[in-house]
Amino acid sequence: MPAYCERNLLPLEPSLLYCDGEEQTFCPLSQPHKIYRKTISALSADSKIVAHSSGWFLLAYQQDTHFSLWNPTISDSFIHLPPLSFNPTPQIEHYLLSSPPEDPDCKVLLFDDVLGSVIFIRLEDPHKEWTQIQYARSFTYPEGKETKDCLDGCVSCNGKLYGFTFHGSELVILDVDKANSLLIEPLCKMPNVMSGTAGAIVSVIFRRLVECCGELLYVEILLVGSKMDQLSEVHVFKLDFVGMSWKRAESLMGQAVFLDAVGASSFDPAFGNGIEADSIYFTDLEDKGLLYSFNVADGCLSITLPCPSIPSSSLSSPMIFVPPDVWLSRATCRLIPKLHHTQVLQTLETCHYSSSPMMLLLSINDMTAFKFVDPIHGSFIMNVPELLKGSVMRHSRNGWLLMSDGKFSMSFLNPFTEEIIKLPKTPRVDCPRTYAMAFSSLPTSPDCIVIGCGAFPPTDTSSELRIAVTTMGGPNKWIESYTEHDAMFWLNNSSPVFYKGSFYLLDLEGKLSVLKYEEEEIDLEFHQTVSWKILTELEIPCTSFHQNFLLECDEKLMSIFVGQTGEWLQIYSLDFTTMRWENMESLENYVIYVSQSSSTAIEARIIGTNNRIYFPRFRDNCILYYSLETREFHLNGQGIVKSLYDTRELLLATWIESPRS
């Protein structure tokens, strides 16, 4: 469908703003096939947008020596600032427009991370002179290299300026007094993000402070993969100003938050059709014109194509444009109750368990409650036992969860009986957070093996794996070992699979490896050994895939590969005789459930559900599955889905067997 273009007009709703030379393109988020084009001569190829606030944009020219303020909705709105004339020329890394120019306390702040200085100007100052103050303290790496501990992610909230130190990871408050003195006071430590897709090599693409309805939020967006190009997790925290501590955000006070390359915006979604409350929107990581949205309340991630008709030359670093009428609405933040007020169907004690054999499980409300999603009949919520509140789910098997507090503590939990089995303290403080975890059998069995795998970035010729193992019937401790292999292996963000006495791992590029744990008694001494082998002779069955999963099904080791946005799906079983992945056309009477933390297959017990692969993805309240009969993705009750665009993926969810399965 071709795009309909309006010339020399501006949209009346939130839009993505693309700058291509002297022409600007506005793409409304709720109208993917309508664009607005406007030509503003002052926005030349030499200019760039570096910050924004309440509809105003800060523009930089001539290699960050000249600056202007611009509002696209106001004619002749350019406010030109005096040029910088410092020696040496500052190397600006971050920019902040503290508030719109009509605010008498409006300041423009520039941050030089090389010298560790801040340069600022007050717009109310009749002389409008820049002031430079060096503030950063030195920071020494463990290997002895010295650098500056500079500020990052600065934002204005309730008339005050906040930032965090890059190396020290402290939240600080900044104050520029009337005498132009800079005061920086530390407030608290930044959140220690506990990754749920642990084990994979992780990179952080966004670390951003955001103001929303007078609250201070902290957002981290994590990537995995050999190219660090696969979005893995989104974490959102809210500052408790009374206790000066960070808590996981349960909502965004009914607002929508937009992140772009240079700043953040928040507003009431009632002023933008199709924009979801309590969601964070951000543009894609590879400049493909994609728009992501992450719902803080339910942990779902969605991908859309906001404007498929944007020229490829305009795809880099779009900005968020919010019209003035929408900015005025920000004073009417809608406080909404916690998620579970509309979701609780009945408590666990009175719940008639579903006939569905598997349910999707996710943590909500700052990891103090579980939400169970039945693929057939709906959902309900129960509290996490007090002892395990704040812990994350690491693996699921046989109706049990492996839980981690992100420090030294790990436990098994049966959420239906609330039975808890504590594990010995882990050998490393980051082991429960950075290791991919799995267990072999029921934790009540003495034969149960619990294993964790962590990886260093591989070189072109070798890989190193950190392994921690404990057994339920052996010594009450973990053993930790390091093992190398002369091949590249990018540890996946999906869990290891226990199959016929060994743990198998599928890496981000499709390579398979095997871990074997063995115990033996020699001369009355108990010996434990772990071996690791990358199956280099096994040819990778797929390339250019977006996701892959590994599981056991019908006594076979199977792999599933999914193309970008669900363009295709292939499923294979491993022939150990020929050491080849064999393409599978049917699952017969089996149904598969996949997620990052656990994937499993069972015999179908509901008519018509066999030969399906269920994913932790939804549209509305309908769950997504792939049918090997139709070779198409479907939504329960809504028919075929041609693309995974506009479906919502639960990033940190797991499948668990229901009590009656």
Side-chain angles (χ1 to χ4, degrees):
M1 180 178 178
Y4 173 71
C5 181
E6 293 276 7
R7 289 280 180 182
N8 298 318
L9 294 176
L10 291 175
L12 300 178
E13 59 183 289
S15 307
L16 294 180
L17 167 60
Y18 298 89
C19 295
D20 184 16
E22 294 184 355
E23 186 172 60
Q24 293 71 50
T25 302
F26 297 82
C27 179
L29 298 179
S30 64
Q31 302 180 69
H33 296 286
K34 186 173 183 178
I35 59 177
Y36 295 76
R37 295 196 190 277
K38 191 175 180 65
T39 300
I40 302 174
S41 58
L43 290 178
S44 63
D46 183 50
S47 66
K48 60 180 179 180
I49 297 174
V50 294
H52 53 71
S53 176
S54 302
W56 284 84
F57 294 87
L58 176 64
L59 308 179
Y61 311 86
Q62 300 179 26
Q63 300 181 338
D64 285 353
T65 59
H66 292 70
F67 296 88
S68 297
L69 296 175
W70 165 64
N71 188 322
T73 65
I74 303 175
S75 300
D76 302 322
S77 65
F78 280 93
I79 301 174
H80 299 289
L81 302 178
L84 294 182
S85 57
F86 297 105
N87 188 19
T89 302
Q91 300 183 42
I92 310 301
E93 295 291 337
H94 310 285
Y95 314 78
L96 176 63
L97 175 61
S98 67
S99 54
E102 55 267 24
D103 182 351
D105 196 33
C106 175
K107 293 182 286 289
V108 175
L109 298 98
L110 317 174
F111 297 89
D112 181 343
D113 288 355
V114 176
L115 294 177
S117 67
V118 60
I119 303 167
F120 59 90
I121 191 170
R122 299 176 183 272
L123 264 65
E124 69 169 355
D125 184 353
H127 303 292
K128 288 188 175 62
E129 294 182 350
W130 292 99
T131 300
Q132 183 176 29
I133 299 177
Q134 188 163 342
Y135 69 88
R137 58 192 177 190
S138 295
F139 177 88
T140 303
Y141 286 105
E143 60 269 23
K145 182 181 178 181
E146 187 174 295
T147 185
K148 299 289 187 183
D149 193 8
C150 297
L151 294 176
D152 200 0
C154 295
V155 70
S156 176
C157 180
N158 298 325
K160 298 179 180 180
L161 301 179
Y162 297 88
F164 57 86
T165 58
F166 187 79
H167 296 289
S169 296
E170 287 183 314
L171 178 71
V172 300
I173 186 169
L174 298 80
D175 182 40
V176 180
D177 62 21
K178 294 298 183 181
N180 283 350
S181 297
L182 177 66
L183 303 176
I184 300 179
E185 178 185 353
L187 297 177
C188 63
K189 288 290 186 182
M190 297 300 292
N192 183 13
V193 172
M194 182 161 51
S195 173
T197 56
I201 309 299
V202 175
S203 174
V204 179
I205 187 64
F206 274 122
R207 297 176 71 206
R208 189 71 60 80
L209 290 174
V210 178
E211 183 276 335
C212 179
C213 288
E215 301 285 356
L216 187 62
L217 306 177
Y218 174 68
V219 180
E220 270 201 14
I221 300 175
L222 306 182
L223 300 178
V224 299
S226 57
K227 298 179 181 178
M228 298 299 177
D229 58 357
Q230 298 181 28
L231 193 148
S232 173
E233 300 177 33
V234 181
H235 297 274
V236 185
F237 297 85
K238 183 171 70 172
L239 182 66
D240 176 1
F241 284 99
V242 177
M244 276 301 158
S245 61
W246 293 98
K247 307 290 184 183
R248 284 192 178 269
E250 299 178 12
S251 73
L252 299 180
M253 293 68 71
Q255 301 297 285
V257 169
F258 289 89
L259 299 177
D260 57 32
V262 299
S265 311
S266 64
F267 66 93
D268 192 328
F271 288 80
N273 295 329
I275 296 173
E276 188 176 29
D278 295 315
S279 292
I280 293 180
Y281 290 78
F282 53 97
T283 51
D284 77 290
L285 312 170
E286 297 179 327
D287 295 333
K288 294 179 179 177
L290 302 179
L291 181 71
Y292 291 85
S293 65
F294 176 77
N295 188 287
V296 174
D298 62 18
C300 284
L301 179 74
S302 302
I303 307 175
T304 60
L305 277 171
C307 195
S309 302
I310 291 294
S312 58
S313 60
S314 302
L315 286 182
S316 60
S317 301
M319 305 293 145
I320 297 293
F321 167 73
V322 182
D325 290 344
V326 177
W327 283 111
L328 293 175
S329 74
R330 296 181 69 251
T332 61
C333 294
R334 296 176 293 120
L335 298 177
I336 63 172
K338 295 181 180 180
L339 175 69
H340 66 273
H341 87 286
T342 58
Q343 303 296 332
V344 176
L345 302 181
Q346 43 195 313
T347 63
L348 185 62
E349 292 79 8
T350 60
C351 176
H352 298 293
Y353 295 131
S354 164
S355 58
S356 301
M358 300 295 295
M359 290 187 287
L360 197 61
L361 178 62
L362 62 149
S363 296
I364 59 172
N365 298 347
D366 196 16
M367 296 183 288
T368 61
F370 289 134
K371 179 181 179 182
F372 294 83
V373 181
D374 186 314
I376 307 298
H377 300 293
S379 61
F380 66 93
I381 284 179
M382 62 169 284
N383 289 328
V384 173
E386 192 68 33
L387 185 63
L388 297 180
K389 286 186 176 180
S391 296
V392 297
M393 302 175 297
R394 300 305 313 282
H395 189 61
S396 171
R397 186 182 176 97
N398 301 125
W400 285 81
L401 299 172
L402 182 60
M403 307 286 291
S404 162
D405 71 349
K407 298 176 183 176
F408 288 103
S409 178
M410 298 196 70
S411 303
F412 283 110
L413 169 67
N414 185 320
F416 302 102
T417 65
E418 293 194 334
E419 182 179 357
I420 297 173
I421 301 175
K422 296 287 289 182
L423 289 171
K425 286 188 176 181
T426 57
R428 293 163 53 97
V429 67
D430 64 341
C431 176
R433 185 175 71 251
T434 62
Y435 280 36
M437 309 296 297
F439 56 96
S440 63
S441 57
L442 284 171
T444 52
S445 167
D447 297 327
C448 178
I449 305 169
V450 186
I451 193 166
C453 308
F456 298 99
T459 67
D460 292 338
T461 58
S462 66
S463 303
E464 184 174 355
L465 203 65
R466 303 186 299 261
I467 304 166
V469 181
T470 190
T471 57
M472 302 307 293
N476 188 33
K477 65 178 183 179
W478 292 81
I479 64 166
E480 188 176 36
S481 62
Y482 295 79
T483 180
E484 291 189 47
H485 199 286
D486 56 352
M488 183 181 292
F489 192 86
W490 288 93
L491 189 61
N492 203 343
N493 57 349
S494 60
S495 60
V497 173
F498 187 74
Y499 175 74
K500 293 189 175 180
S502 298
F503 289 91
Y504 287 81
L505 298 88
L506 191 65
D507 92 337
L508 288 165
E509 296 180 340
K511 290 192 288 290
L512 187 69
S513 73
V514 57
L515 275 168
K516 190 169 184 61
Y517 170 77
E518 295 178 300
E519 298 176 348
E520 59 180 337
E521 188 177 315
I522 303 175
D523 297 331
L524 301 179
E525 291 188 0
F526 193 70
H527 294 268
Q528 302 162 299
T529 59
V530 179
S531 60
W532 180 47
K533 181 182 179 182
I534 302 174
L535 304 180
T536 54
E537 71 275 20
L538 182 61
E539 184 178 350
I540 298 173
C542 282
T543 59
S544 302
F545 53 87
H546 175 61
Q547 286 180 309
N548 60 2
F549 304 93
L550 189 68
L551 72 152
E552 179 185 357
C553 176
D554 193 18
E555 298 186 351
K556 302 182 183 71
L557 190 64
M558 293 187 180
S559 61
I560 298 171
F561 293 81
V562 184
Q564 185 72 35
T565 67
E567 297 169 355
W568 53 266
L569 182 146
Q570 295 290 335
I571 182 169
Y572 303 90
S573 67
L574 183 59
D575 185 330
F576 281 86
T577 303
T578 62
M579 288 308 293
R580 290 176 56 89
W581 288 110
E582 302 290 343
N583 191 37
M584 294 193 64
E585 299 295 332
S586 174
L587 298 175
E588 301 299 338
N589 194 43
Y590 281 85
V591 56
I592 288 176
Y593 302 85
V594 298
S595 70
Q596 293 177 349
S597 57
S598 66
S599 297
T600 189
I602 61 174
E603 290 191 71
R605 303 173 196 174
I606 300 176
I607 296 175
T609 61
N610 66 303
N611 226 9
R612 293 180 179 180
I613 303 171
Y614 280 91
F615 289 79
R617 284 182 176 270
F618 294 82
R619 180 179 291 165
D620 299 327
N621 293 319
C622 299
I623 196 165
L624 181 86
Y625 67 86
Y626 183 84
S627 169
L628 271 75
E629 292 182 3
T630 65
R631 294 285 170 178
E632 300 275 6
F633 282 96
H634 297 253
L635 286 164
N636 275 342
Q638 291 191 4
I640 292 174
V641 177
K642 293 298 184 182
S643 169
L644 298 186
Y645 290 131
D646 299 321
T647 61
R648 308 168 70 224
E649 179 183 12
L650 288 168
L651 293 181
L652 302 180
T654 192
W655 293 96
I656 188 168
E657 295 180 36
S658 61
R660 289 188 177 180
S661 61

